Amino acid sequence: MTVMVNGPLPSGSYDVAVVGAGVVGCAIARELARHPRLRVALVEAQDDVGQGTSKANTAILHTGFDAAPGSLEARLVREGSRQLASYAAESGIAVEPVGALLVAWDEEQLAALPHLAEKAVRNEYADTRVIGPPELHEREPHLGPGALGALHVPGESIICPWTTTLAYATQAVRHGVDLHLNSPVSEVSWGEGAHILTTPRGTVRTRHLVNAAGLHADTLDRHLGHDDFTVHPRRGQLIVFDKLARDLVHHILLPVPTALGKGVLVTPTVYGNLLLGPTAEDLHDKRATGSTAEGLALLREKGARILPALLDEEITAVYAGLRAATERDDYRITAHPEQAYITVGGIRSTGLTASMAIAAYVTELLADTGLDLGPAEDLEPVRMPNLGEAHPRPHQNARLVATDPEYGTLVCHCERVSRGEIRDALASTVPPRNLDGLRRRTRARAGRCQGFYCGAAVRALFEGSGA
């Protein structure tokens, strides 16, 4: 098992290098790990997996009901949704099938609901139905006044995005993939049947290259002479409300979609909070992940209409993520056989849902471009810590605590995280490199006090581990 963070990169050549260790890049590396003859590298600019768009999204496991029928995204979301639901159950990833309601607030939106139901059928999802105000308010009694109806989509779920990415990376590394962190790719050259990737830690030589660089996929594409698309970072700001607000809503509350995306929604999270957001701000700066007063004010204005009582609840946190929007509303997955190169660009908010299907599709493209995959083997299953609020936490398991009292000693009381969980995360296959990484693996410091009470104790455990 190889996870390299510092020092020079190893010499030698890889069969495939995947650039970008977000949820899609990690899924591709995991899929390639099923072929043990391949030597595979996963190259990431930052010090942890899932540090970009993958860590800052609305964490919805989509059905794909509203994708553009016939698009690559529609197909891969449809396939990936089923695959990820099964994988999550096998791997301990938190999922809650809460369903969704697309709420119509005016006559034009109401008239659009039957068309959305028809689109769902074209996307091979036939379980939607239009409901009127009485059933809508029975389902969501705290909904704001004036709603004229909704489209009920029972198959939509919420999921833990952090654990999903980490599970993929863990399986990949355990099956021989080299994970190179802190390795931003500054140059790419192609010649004599090999790509040479230049990073501050040295070079990576590989016969086949997969570009899963997210917001920077267009930049990497241009290094190899392509100008097929441009990534326009689209910022989504979100507000996280305290767990005491959770009973205000029972479904994912969606607006009727627009050209800019799915709009501002209210959704529960598997961690027991409520999310309000996101905004949809087209920017030029691919590092602009800060929240703004204007963006948060807009969210509160939208929230006041959707769920008025929500604004009386305490806010736990705010955050913002950047989506990789392009000129076309579809994934930009392209094979360049003459360069043994695959571009995986324009993967937007549905990338989490589609990740396993994208990985299988990209692997097929690699085979079509001349990569001899060799025989495939089943991967050893992983069992990840279930971070969901609906799942019993380790400190609640009397047998586990009796076996190992560390699981009965709480460090973060807001999120009820034990010393045993922190210890396990620090000793895991892909351990955290900082306190934020530890938070994504355990929920420590993610609660209402945001680390005010537990911060010193969590830091002491982190620093004492030598991480």
Side-chain angles (χ1 to χ4, degrees), residues 38-292:
L38 297 179
R39 190 176 183 211
V40 180
L42 179 57
V43 183
E44 168 56 37
Q46 301 193 62
D47 66 355
D48 199 1
V49 300
Q51 283 275 58
T53 303
S54 301
K55 75 174 182 182
N57 56 52
T58 49
I60 295 173
L61 180 56
H62 298 280
T63 58
F65 77 96
D66 60 344
S71 65
L72 180 61
E73 180 180 16
R75 171 190 145 194
L76 296 180
V77 169
R78 183 168 61 246
E79 295 172 2
S81 179
R82 293 190 291 264
Q83 294 169 352
L84 182 50
S86 176
Y87 180 75
E90 170 191 292
S91 305
I93 298 167
V95 174
E96 286 186 53
V98 294
L101 293 167
L102 273 81
V103 181
W105 296 96
D106 58 40
E107 293 292 343
E108 182 179 357
Q109 293 176 4
L110 186 65
L113 297 184
H115 299 291
L116 287 167
E118 292 169 8
K119 179 189 278 190
V121 172
R122 292 165 64 195
N123 282 319
E124 301 181 23
Y125 186 80
D127 292 339
T128 66
R129 65 187 182 92
V130 177
I131 63 175
E135 182 178 349
L136 174 57
H137 286 283
E138 182 181 349
R139 287 180 171 274
E140 294 292 349
H142 297 285
L143 195 67
L148 302 181
L151 184 69
H152 183 216
V153 189
E156 297 281 294
S157 301
I158 53 177
I159 188 170
C160 177
W162 306 332
T163 313
T164 304
T165 304
L166 187 61
Y168 293 159
T170 298
Q171 274 189 305
V173 169
R174 287 182 181 176
H175 287 83
V177 172
D178 289 345
L179 172 58
H180 300 305
L181 301 170
N182 286 332
S183 302
V185 175
S186 57
E187 296 289 340
V188 181
S189 62
W190 160 255
E192 300 181 358
H195 296 275
I196 305 297
L197 313 181
T198 302
T199 82
R201 296 178 48 215
T203 60
V204 175
R205 181 183 179 89
T206 181
R207 292 194 300 118
H208 293 259
L209 177 62
V210 177
N211 170 7
L215 291 165
H216 303 281
D218 57 342
T219 302
L220 192 59
D221 221 34
R222 284 170 175 72
H223 281 303
L224 289 165
H226 304 288
D227 192 12
D228 297 336
F229 65 94
T230 298
V231 172
H232 304 283
R234 182 169 292 160
R235 181 167 61 191
Q237 300 184 53
L238 297 108
I239 300 174
V240 183
F241 286 87
D242 189 81
K243 297 176 193 295
L244 294 175
R246 176 63 182 84
D247 289 340
L248 290 177
V249 70
H250 305 297
H251 305 72
I252 303 164
L253 300 182
L254 300 170
V256 177
T258 69
L260 280 178
K262 299 182 186 299
V264 174
L265 55 86
V266 176
T267 180
T269 73
V270 294
Y271 319 114
N273 304 96
L274 288 185
L275 287 183
L276 172 64
T279 58
E281 308 160 58
D282 287 328
L283 308 173
H284 298 289
D285 186 353
K286 295 181 179 181
R287 300 166 298 176
T289 56
S291 299
T292 66

